[in-house]
């Protein structure tokens, strides 16, 4: 079996889309909460502004709060709007293996490039459980490349170097959405080898590149929804060896993101992850992400204001680097 898309193809800016919502999406009795016209507009905006790949239905893509019919029609809209211009890794995460495989088959049938796939998280999975899950999906869909989702809050634990070493033996697992470049990063890189492209967040990309330039070829982000210009400037600076500019942009991103994290930590951010991200997208002014869907739609005013400030600061960076 030979995959059409491998770890070596994972390069550049991989942006995760929100799932735009109608004004009444916060209501429990809303029948179809997706703004499909805005979904298509965002796709075209991202591609016209040189995104390298689009991902759907992660956490702030509200994969957990869409009905099945909404999930299906949204992904159909995204994939048909992309028209093969960039890779699409579509979200198939559910609470169990069989439903994830069923959704994965649908997405590949729609024309997705591959899958954006987190593991089931009702219970925390041990090492054998994580590897077993991805092995089962690979067996069911041998031609489907997968981007794994290594979020220790959402999935009740960080993937270890041992897990990465075992996942690297599954050809379908070509990349990982990685939360924080910290002490374990180099060990995970070594374990993953050349089989899995570990993608840091945009504000960590510079440091990952400095530590391992041959490995840090791609970044994941949601900030393309607020404007691609700073991300493209960072990418160009890294690729051209302009270390000073790359560090400058990185520190500007980090400054903009500061108030996205209530109490300054990832755990408290995770309590309001969807609400915070959609609030900052809306505040930046390029997309209309709409309200969040229940039950993840309430947010304290002071926490929301932190996200508004992030959107405003990022909009200023977008204006700066658009020039």
């Amino acid at each position: 079996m030979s995959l059409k898309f491998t770890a070596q193809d994972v390069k550049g800016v991989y942006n995760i889309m929100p799932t735009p919502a109608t004004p009444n999406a916060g209501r429990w009795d809303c029948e179809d909460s997706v703004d499909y016209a805005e979904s298509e507009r965002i796709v075209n905006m991202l591609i016209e502004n040189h995104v390298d790949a689009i991902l759907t239905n992660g956490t702030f893509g509200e994969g957990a709060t869409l009905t099945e019919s909404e999930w299906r029609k949204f992904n159909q809209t995204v994939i048909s709007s992309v028209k093969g211009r960039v890779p699409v890794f579509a979200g198939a995460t559910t609470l169990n293996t069989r439903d994830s495989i069923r959704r994965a088959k649908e997405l590949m049938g729609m024309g997705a490039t591959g899958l954006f796939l987190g593991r089931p998280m009702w219970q925390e999975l041990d090492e054998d459980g994580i590897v077993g899950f991805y092995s089962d999906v690979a067996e069911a869909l041998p031609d489907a490349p997968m981007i794994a989702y290594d979020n220790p809050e959402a999935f009740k634990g960080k993937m270890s170097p041992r897990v990465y070493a075992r996942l690297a033996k599954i050809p379908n697992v070509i990349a990982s959405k990685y939360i924080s470049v910290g002490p374990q990063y180099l060990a995970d890189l070594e374990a993953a080898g050349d089989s899995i492209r570990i993608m840091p967040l945009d504000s960590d990309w510079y440091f990952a590149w400095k530590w391992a330039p041959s490995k840090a070829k791609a970044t994941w982000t949601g900030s393309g929804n607020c404007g691609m210009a700073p991300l493209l400037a960072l990418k160009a600076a890294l690729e051209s060896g302009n270390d000073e500019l790359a560090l400058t942009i990185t520190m500007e991103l980090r400054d903009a993101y500061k108030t996205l994290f209530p109490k300054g930590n990832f755990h408290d951010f995770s309590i309001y992850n969807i609400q915070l991200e959609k609030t900052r997208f809306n505040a930046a002014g390029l997309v209309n992400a709409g309200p969040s869907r229940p039950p993840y739609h309430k947010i304290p005013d002071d926490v929301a204001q932190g996200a508004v400030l992030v959107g405003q600061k990022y909009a200023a960076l977008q204006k700066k680097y658009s020039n």
Side-chain angles (χ1 to χ4, degrees):
M1 184 272 294
S2 178
L3 293 173
K4 294 180 180 178
F5 203 97
T6 70
Q8 284 62 50
D9 298 310
V10 179
K11 300 175 183 177
V13 179
Y14 277 51
N15 187 75
I16 306 171
M17 276 186 63
T19 303
T22 56
N24 64 337
R27 287 282 310 172
W28 65 266
D29 54 357
C30 178
E31 291 293 330
D32 190 339
S33 67
V34 180
D35 185 337
Y36 299 103
E38 180 67 1
S39 301
E40 182 176 358
R41 192 189 70 81
I42 293 173
V43 164
N44 287 317
M45 179 195 74
L46 289 169
I47 295 173
E48 288 163 6
N49 287 282
H50 310 293
V51 75
D52 291 291
I54 291 172
L55 285 68
T56 68
N57 298 145
T59 303
F60 66 72
E62 295 177 280
T65 56
L66 297 175
T67 65
E68 186 164 7
S69 61
E70 289 172 336
W71 164 85
R72 180 176 294 108
K73 189 174 177 182
F74 169 71
N75 279 289
Q76 288 172 334
T77 299
V78 170
I79 293 167
S80 63
S81 299
V82 169
K83 297 177 182 175
R85 290 175 288 173
V86 298
V88 177
F89 287 84
T93 306
T94 73
L95 288 177
N96 67 82
T97 300
R98 291 177 299 165
D99 278 332
S100 293
I101 288 172
R102 182 178 51 77
R103 286 195 175 196
K105 288 180 176 179
E106 280 200 56
L107 292 168
M108 296 305 292
M110 292 176 198
T113 308
L115 308 173
F116 181 31
L117 189 61
R119 57 198 186 267
M121 76 291 279
W122 193 303
Q123 289 184 187
E124 180 178 352
L125 285 173
D126 65 8
E127 179 180 316
D128 288 340
I130 296 170
V131 175
F133 169 71
Y134 286 104
S135 297
D136 285 345
V137 178
E139 181 182 349
L141 293 100
D143 297 327
M146 293 182 242
I147 296 177
Y149 193 173
D150 190 2
N151 181 325
E153 289 290 337
F155 300 106
K156 301 181 178 177
K158 171 86 182 67
M159 291 199 293
S160 69
R162 280 175 53 91
V163 168
Y164 274 108
R166 293 178 66 183
L167 291 179
K169 297 177 182 178
I170 304 172
N172 303 64
V173 182
I174 64 165
S176 172
K177 175 180 178 282
Y178 201 81
I179 293 298
S180 178
V181 173
Q184 192 178 310
Y185 174 68
L186 291 178
D188 288 338
L189 275 185
E190 182 178 0
D194 293 326
S195 299
I196 299 175
R197 183 80 79 198
I198 294 180
M199 297 192 295
L201 177 63
D202 53 17
S203 57
D204 286 335
W205 197 11
Y206 167 81
F207 300 103
W209 191 287
K210 293 291 287 184
W211 280 3
S214 66
K215 304 285 189 181
K217 298 295 187 181
T219 185
W220 73 268
T221 185
S223 290
N225 306 304
C226 304
M228 284 291 297
L231 305 172
L232 295 176
L234 175 59
K235 175 186 173 183
L238 290 172
E239 291 178 347
S240 66
N242 190 336
D243 192 86
E244 182 178 0
L245 178 57
L247 180 58
T248 295
I249 298 169
T250 295
M251 299 315 292
E252 288 174 329
L253 290 173
R254 290 189 162 206
D255 176 70
Y257 293 158
K258 278 181 182 177
T259 55
L260 195 62
F261 297 90
K263 302 180 184 177
N265 66 76
F266 187 66
H267 171 74
D268 286 273
F269 163 80
S270 295
I271 297 172
Y272 303 107
N273 186 323
I274 298 168
Q275 301 95 309
L276 285 163
E277 293 283 24
K278 295 193 82 173
T279 299
R280 74 155 172 136
F281 297 159
N282 290 329
L286 284 187
V287 306
N288 180 12
S292 300
R293 297 167 174 88
Y296 311 116
H297 59 311
K298 304 294 186 182
I299 182 171
D301 288 342
D302 60 329
V303 175
Q305 283 306 307
V308 169
L309 181 59
V310 176
Q312 293 169 342
K313 283 189 172 184
Y314 194 96
L317 292 178
Q318 170 68 11
K319 182 177 180 180
K320 174 181 177 179
Y321 289 102
S322 291
N323 297 328

